[in-house]
Amino acid sequence: MADGLSSFWGPVTSTNEWCEKNYVYSSYIAEFFNTLSNIPCILLALIGLVNSSRQRFEKRFSVLHLSNMILAIWNILYHATLYRVLQQSDETPVIWETLLYIYVLYSPDWHYRRTMPTFLVVYGAAFAIVHSHMQLGIGFKVHFLMLCLLCIPRMYKYYLYTDDLRAKRVAKVYAVTLVAGTLCWLFDRVLCRDSWPVNPQGHAMWHVFMGINSYFANTFLMFCRAQQRGWAPKVVHYMGILPYVKIRKPKVR
């Protein structure tokens, strides 16, 4: 949208323009709400990282929470500056993180343990090279959507095979926040109007919902994986609000 204050970072080079007006509240932050709305994702990912490390979950979950944090930080840098190079530095890790989710979802049933991570690493590197040279626009969005569609059926399968009611509630929050966040993204992208007296901050709400969505997705996946490993998982809550997985590993004799 149109600029307000003068820009500390110089001209906008990003190919995406969101509904929020640029440099309204600060010369140092191009899109104020789109930038700050990443903070909940960082905090939730930090909580998840501490929990997975403290209980010695498999390293894949620590990497998953850490990737959520890194992606949110890159998103902050992008929306604060609206630089094209930071836009690509935000979009490429989105694909990498989705590939990581595919690995976590499908690896338990993959019989050839080294081929899957090798393929995903090569795939992610190839995408980064192609995206840096061709600057995919709609191609990036279609690609991201296709990878997400690979994840959803597997999550649904895990939901069907889970009997624990609290774990099922976690999965339902994941599904609801995914739908709500997608609607907010589409609303901001398609229905944005300069004539609105108040901007509903659809893209900022997308960040908030997806931060919650990532945490609940990770929590549900941690529960399912702990079940597969026979670690007697339970979904408990911090202060009766935020769910996390508590496990009891069998003693090694």
Side-chain angles (χ1 to χ4, degrees), residues 195-216:
S195 59
W196 287 349
V198 178
N199 184 352
Q201 303 299 341
H203 195 73
M205 292 306 301
W206 150 262
H207 290 161
V208 173
F209 278 123
M210 294 313 295
I212 298 171
N213 173 268
S214 298
Y215 178 84
F216 276 78

Side-chain angles (χ1 to χ4, degrees), residues 94-233:
V94 166
I95 299 299
W96 290 348
E97 184 178 63
T98 310
L99 293 175
L100 180 58
Y101 275 106
I102 290 174
Y103 170 75
V104 172
L105 283 164
Y106 286 94
S107 61
D109 295 334
W110 193 263
H111 299 294
Y112 304 98
R113 298 185 64 182
R114 293 186 178 181
T115 56
M116 186 179 188
T118 301
F119 170 76
L120 293 177
V121 168
V122 172
Y123 188 97
F127 174 83
I129 294 170
V130 171
H131 191 32
S132 65
H133 284 82
M134 299 183 63
Q135 299 185 358
L136 304 174
I138 188 65
F140 158 75
K141 296 179 179 65
V142 172
H143 190 197
F144 174 57
L145 177 62
M146 291 174 62
L147 292 178
C148 288
L149 291 177
L150 288 176
C151 295
I152 293 174
R154 190 70 170 183
M155 289 287 283
Y156 183 61
K157 178 183 177 181
Y158 281 174
Y159 175 83
L160 292 178
Y161 280 84
T162 300
D163 295 325
D164 187 275
L165 293 179
R166 290 188 176 184
K168 280 183 173 289
R169 289 193 200 103
V170 170
K172 288 177 181 178
V173 174
Y174 155 79
V176 169
T177 52
L178 180 62
V179 172
T182 302
L183 290 175
C184 287
W185 188 92
L186 289 171
F187 186 86
D188 186 89
R189 196 70 180 160
V190 178
L191 300 177
C192 178
R193 299 291 182 271
D194 285 328
S195 59
W196 287 349
V198 178
N199 184 352
Q201 303 299 341
H203 195 73
M205 292 306 301
W206 150 262
H207 290 161
V208 173
F209 278 123
M210 294 313 295
I212 298 171
N213 173 268
S214 298
Y215 178 84
F216 276 78
N218 296 353
T219 301
F220 182 66
L221 289 174
M222 290 168 70
F223 179 90
C224 294
R225 183 58 176 164
Q227 271 194 329
Q228 293 169 354
R229 298 297 300 270
W231 290 346

